[in-house]
Amino acid sequence: MSLILTEIKNRVGFITLNSEKTLNSLNLEMIETLTATMEAWKTSEEVVCIFIQGAGEKALCAGGDVRSLYDNIIAQRAIDGTQVPQGNFDFFAKEYALNYTIHTYPKPIIVWGHGIVMGGGIGVMVGASHRIVTERSKLAMPEITIGLFPDVGATWFLNRMPSAYGVYLGLTGARLDAADCRFLGLADYYMEAVEKQNVINALMEVNWRDSAGEQVGELLAAIAKKYTVGVSQAAEHQTFVQQFEGVQTLEAFRTILTDAAKDSWIEAGVQSFEKGSPSSAHIIFRQLKEGKTYSLEQVFQTELNLACQCCIHPDFAEGVRALLVDKDQSPKWQPATLEDVTDEWVDGYFTPLWTKENHVLKNLGKTE
């Protein structure tokens, strides 16, 4: 069974993430196939735009195949735990290069962001030119709960959200629905899921001109205009989130979060933050603070270093063990508390593993 299905109809390149049992989670093979397809279509006159979807009705993509990454870490520790597993290096490097390709693609990319869209799924969706959410869209970047950090370009898109939503979402992994995505700039159109075939049918009837992006936008806007997205919980909590603007330390963030009057939306964020990896909390706070001025190229270069450091440090493997392997939901974080995390420990995550000259992503954005 092919994990990536492709088809060209009326000059529209259709890509289907085809791993329904795993909620279309990305593995290295899928990333490589996606990359090869998009590179081939970039200059092909047979394709004027791309439509990306997930198989089934449950998810576009629930993230990356972190179980395989865990297995690679455990195998590598038996040999030399100070080295990044080659399989993990390949996964992250090729995933981030793919994310960059989507952000900078010269042709319109439509993403049908229906169902669960998490982690790597957001990486596929957020950089696209035309992003659709439905009544069943559920987005999140809950990496703090597995000892990782919001990656796939999150340094870029979280820092471009209004107010302090980026740092709040990064540190709490808060769940977002369609209304939230529209409010925060993660999606461009809202329509009910029953419209999917109508979108495809409309794409099949387009007489493509040079302005394909405008044609796609007009087509989607015409279908979406009959719908009104509901109330955004993120927007409803704007006064609360504004309290985090200008926060300079993680300790100050925690104080505001834990002292706030609680409702169900805030309480969910508090629980994720408090149960998450203390190391992740520190590196996420620093990641977003330092990355405010990064170029898109720098974002993916620094995220690759951070992801590989997470494979060497203990919490990523421990978080996956607790969630997906032993499923005891009781990770033993090292260090165990926010107070136990030293500046030197955090510095270790940000220590470069390569020089700029031999960084595998050094040529992002450079013409060949």
Side-chain angles (χ1 to χ4, degrees):
M1 182 187 76
S2 176
L3 296 176
I4 299 291
L5 303 178
T6 63
E7 183 180 20
I8 301 173
K9 295 166 65 176
N10 192 36
R11 303 180 74 192
V12 180
F14 289 89
I15 297 176
T16 303
L17 311 184
N18 188 39
S19 182
E20 196 171 348
K21 288 185 178 179
T22 67
L23 299 177
N24 304 316
S25 294
L26 296 174
N27 61 24
L28 182 57
E29 176 189 347
M30 295 169 73
I31 290 168
E32 290 174 339
T33 304
L34 270 169
T35 300
T37 300
M38 297 192 71
E39 285 299 322
W41 288 354
K42 186 180 289 187
T43 55
S44 172
E45 293 186 1
E46 295 182 8
V47 175
V48 296
C49 79
I50 294 175
F51 185 98
I52 301 177
Q53 61 188 338
E57 292 298 317
K58 292 183 178 179
L60 168 67
C61 172
D65 182 7
V66 294
R67 176 59 196 266
S68 292
L69 299 177
Y70 166 86
D71 291 340
N72 293 341
I73 293 171
I74 298 305
Q76 183 65 41
R77 283 181 181 173
I79 303 169
D80 181 357
T82 66
Q83 299 297 312
V84 180
Q86 185 64 43
N88 292 15
F89 172 80
D90 290 341
F91 176 89
F92 287 119
K94 292 181 179 182
E95 181 182 29
Y96 298 170
L98 172 64
N99 298 149
Y100 182 83
T101 294
I102 293 171
H103 273 271
T104 58
Y105 209 67
K107 298 177 179 180
I109 300 175
I110 307 164
V111 175
W112 185 255
H114 175 68
I116 297 169
V117 188
M118 290 189 178
I122 293 182
V124 170
M125 178 176 167
V126 74
S129 58
H130 297 77
R131 305 160 299 177
I132 304 166
V133 285
T134 74
E135 74 276 14
R136 288 173 56 189
S137 295
K138 295 294 179 186
L139 280 73
M141 295 289 289
E143 283 77 8
I144 190 171
T145 62
I146 57 168
L148 198 57
F149 66 98
D151 62 338
V152 297
T155 310
W156 179 266
F157 63 79
L158 289 179
N159 269 322
R160 278 155 181 77
M161 289 182 176
S163 185
Y165 281 98
V167 69
Y168 181 79
L169 296 179
L171 286 167
T172 64
R175 303 303 199 257
L176 306 173
D177 63 13
D180 297 325
C181 292
R182 291 287 288 116
F183 170 68
L184 294 169
L186 294 174
D188 306 296
Y189 307 93
Y190 169 74
M191 61 185 71
E192 291 187 3
V194 294
E195 296 290 351
K196 182 179 181 181
Q197 193 57 51
N198 291 333
V199 171
I200 294 172
N201 292 344
L203 289 169
M204 293 303 93
E205 297 174 0
V206 175
N207 180 19
W208 296 106
R209 303 186 300 272
D210 291 339
S211 56
E214 291 180 12
Q215 290 179 280
V216 170
E218 291 170 1
L219 180 159
L220 296 176
I223 295 174
K225 69 180 180 180
K226 70 178 80 169
Y227 296 102
T228 302
V229 73
V231 176
S232 162
Q233 284 297 300
E236 291 281 284
H237 287 82
Q238 191 160 4
T239 301
F240 163 68
V241 173
Q242 285 173 340
Q243 296 177 80
F244 299 103
E245 293 178 10
V247 164
Q248 295 299 312
T249 66
L250 183 62
E251 292 72 21
F253 176 92
R254 178 175 60 173
T255 298
I256 295 170
L257 180 67
T258 55
D259 286 354
K262 306 296 190 295
D263 59 18
S264 59
W265 194 83
I266 296 173
E267 185 58 40
V270 172
Q271 290 187 14
S272 293
F273 177 79
E274 292 187 335
K275 292 179 180 178
S277 158
S279 294
S280 286
H282 278 274
I283 67 172
I284 292 166
F285 191 83
R286 179 165 164 180
Q287 165 203 2
L288 296 178
K289 189 176 178 62
E290 292 186 351
K292 285 181 182 295
T293 60
Y294 286 175
S295 67
L296 189 60
E297 294 80 11
Q298 288 174 307
V299 162
F300 288 112
Q301 289 160 356
T302 55
E303 286 186 4
L304 178 60
N305 191 83
L306 199 49
C308 289
Q309 285 286 6
C310 285
C311 294
I312 299 171
H313 286 74
D315 276 6
F316 179 31
E318 174 60 13
V320 177
R321 179 207 65 76
L323 180 68
L324 297 176
V325 183
D326 297 334
K327 299 181 180 179
D328 57 28
Q329 313 300 319
S330 299
K332 305 298 187 291
W333 303 125
Q334 299 178 49
T337 70
L338 289 173
E339 291 77 14
D340 291 336
V341 178
T342 65
D343 290 342
E344 291 75 19
W345 181 253
V346 177
D347 288 343
Y349 278 92
F350 289 86
T351 301
L353 290 165
W354 317 277
T355 64
K356 289 183 179 180
E357 291 70 28
N358 64 8
H359 196 295
V360 69
L361 298 181
K362 66 181 179 181
N363 291 322
L364 287 183
K366 297 180 181 178
T367 56
E368 296 178 2

